Amino acid sequence: MPAKGKHRRPKSSSSLTRGFVAAGTGSAALALPLIGATGAHAADKAAAPVAEAPVLTSQKAPAAIVPQQRTAEQAATPKTDATRTYSVVRGDHLSKIAAEKNVRGGWQKLYSDNRSVVGEDPSLILPGMKLSIGAKAPGGSSAPAAAPAEKKAAPTERKAERTTERKAERTAERKAEKAQKRAEQRTEQSRERTEQRAAKSERRTERPSQNTGSSSGFSAPVPSGVSTPYRASGGSWSSGYHTGVDFRASSGTSVKAVSAGTVVSAGWGGSYGNEVVIRHNDGRFSQYAHLSALNVRSGQSVSGGQQIGYSGSTGNSTGPHLHFEIRTGPGYGSDIDPLAYLRSNGVSI
């Protein structure tokens, strides 16, 4: 059974609701406390501004903060080195330029940054090329896309330039070689003329200091002394020794037959150079080698003291002189002492 009594109207709890209302001016927001009214309707009305407050705050605040963050990031970003332009000169190569300009990454980095300028061959750079140092060359990556025609034409132009430059270098080299040969020829001709003039002067002024002739018709081949004796040993001669004697004689000195006879041979004699071989009336043969010029021919008869040629340095010779031999036969290997032969025929030498 229900209890008796009056039904009591429930009291609405006068709870204290506190909220906040965001109020602001400009970009600043201020949260103000709000004491809410009692009751559900008052609480709902008081709660609405609270939900809107964060929206206003989140929209306004970043506008003032973001530019400051970007400015700080820009200030913290290190500045890169300024790009420099280098003009290639003759004798340059990428390794040299990279070392002199302190390029980080060496010549590979320099080539990578300037590949559109250098081309496919990093070892071939031409004077006048403009290389960017410190950053990728302007237009290095965009130029081919922007101007494909230029990309196709550039290798052809560089190839033509290289071909022209190589032709010019070869032409200059050929001209230099020809000029050098002409200079050497002129020098040789001048030397020969000087030697010939000196020989003529010597022939005009020579005064024999010794008796080089005899009443028997024998004489020395040249009016000078011996520089290398007969039978001197050494590796310079194929036989192991000197088969004759060497007389001191400058190039162009007159060479004479030691006695009358018939010319057996006159011409080139291999290592002996220009030579004359004469068969004398006593059956001996005389040889005159390394001559610069000949005045007789094979089969010709000569008299004692007759000029047969001029001394020189032809064949296997270390300098102007007269190599003289006396032989029992016309060929090599039949030699006898030439000075003893001359002395036995009355020649003082």
Side-chain angles (χ1 to χ4, degrees):
M1 235 181 121
K4 292 181 180 181
K6 295 181 179 179
H7 290 284
R8 183 177 295 175
R9 185 179 182 178
K11 295 181 180 180
S12 61
S13 60
S14 60
S15 60
L16 183 62
T17 303
R18 179 172 295 181
F20 295 89
V21 176
T25 305
S27 60
L30 178 63
L32 299 179
L34 176 65
I35 299 174
T38 59
H41 294 287
D44 291 340
K45 291 180 181 180
V50 175
E52 293 177 358
V55 175
L56 293 176
T57 303
S58 62
Q59 291 178 350
K60 298 283 185 178
I65 297 173
V66 171
Q68 294 178 358
Q69 292 177 345
R70 290 179 180 175
T71 303
E73 291 174 357
Q74 293 173 357
T77 303
K79 294 184 178 180
T80 58
D81 296 336
T83 302
R84 294 168 292 165
T85 300
Y86 177 80
S87 181
V88 176
V89 299
R90 186 175 293 276
D92 274 347
H93 49 82
L94 294 181
S95 296
K96 176 183 176 184
I97 298 171
E100 290 179 351
K101 302 302 179 182
N102 298 320
V103 176
R104 293 182 179 178
W107 70 267
Q108 294 91 340
K109 178 66 167 66
L110 185 61
Y111 173 58
S112 176
D113 291 347
N114 295 275
R115 185 160 185 166
S116 64
V117 178
V118 176
E120 297 299 324
D121 188 355
S123 65
L124 182 61
I125 58 175
L126 302 176
M129 282 185 175
K130 304 295 184 181
L131 305 182
S132 295
I133 299 175
K136 183 166 288 189
S141 58
S142 60
E150 292 181 4
K151 179 179 179 181
K152 294 179 180 179
T156 303
E157 293 175 357
R158 287 195 293 272
K159 184 176 181 181
E161 290 176 359
R162 290 194 294 268
T163 302
T164 303
E165 186 174 358
R166 291 193 187 103
K167 288 182 178 179
E169 291 177 352
R170 287 195 293 268
T171 301
E173 289 175 357
R174 286 194 293 268
K175 289 182 178 179
E177 290 176 357
K178 290 180 179 179
Q180 183 177 359
K181 289 181 180 178
R182 287 195 296 267
E184 290 175 354
Q185 291 174 353
R186 287 194 294 268
T187 301
E188 181 65 20
Q189 292 171 356
S190 176
R191 185 185 64 79
E192 291 177 355
R193 287 193 296 267
T194 301
E195 290 179 354
Q196 291 174 359
R197 285 195 296 267
K200 289 179 181 179
S201 177
E202 183 179 347
R203 287 195 297 271
R204 286 194 300 267
T205 60
E206 66 183 7
R207 295 291 185 270
S209 58
Q210 56 184 346
N211 181 16
T212 59
S214 70
S215 57
S216 62
F218 281 81
S219 64
V222 291
S224 58
V226 174
S227 59
T228 305
Y230 177 60
R231 288 275 174 173
S233 61
S236 301
W237 302 285
S238 59
S239 62
Y241 67 92
H242 198 210
T243 55
V245 294
D246 288 345
F247 286 96
R248 287 186 292 271
S250 60
S251 182
T253 300
S254 176
V255 177
K256 300 176 181 179
V258 295
S259 68
T262 302
V263 177
V264 176
S265 63
W268 185 256
S271 61
Y272 287 113
N274 294 322
E275 66 169 357
V276 173
V277 178
I278 300 174
R279 184 184 188 280
H280 300 287
N281 297 332
D282 61 359
R284 303 301 189 193
F285 295 81
S286 60
Q287 181 206 29
Y288 313 80
H290 305 306
L291 303 178
S292 61
L294 307 179
N295 295 128
V296 294
R297 64 183 181 278
S298 180
Q300 180 180 341
S301 296
V302 297
S303 58
Q306 179 179 335
Q307 179 175 297
I308 60 173
Y310 293 100
S311 63
S313 185
T314 58
N316 186 11
S317 171
T318 58
H321 69 283
L322 173 66
H323 177 80
F324 175 72
E325 291 187 20
I326 294 296
R327 300 171 175 173
T328 58
Y332 172 82
S334 60
D335 56 274
I336 61 174
D337 189 340
L339 296 184
Y341 174 79
L342 293 176
R343 289 168 182 156
S344 67
N345 286 281
V347 179
S348 298
I349 192 168

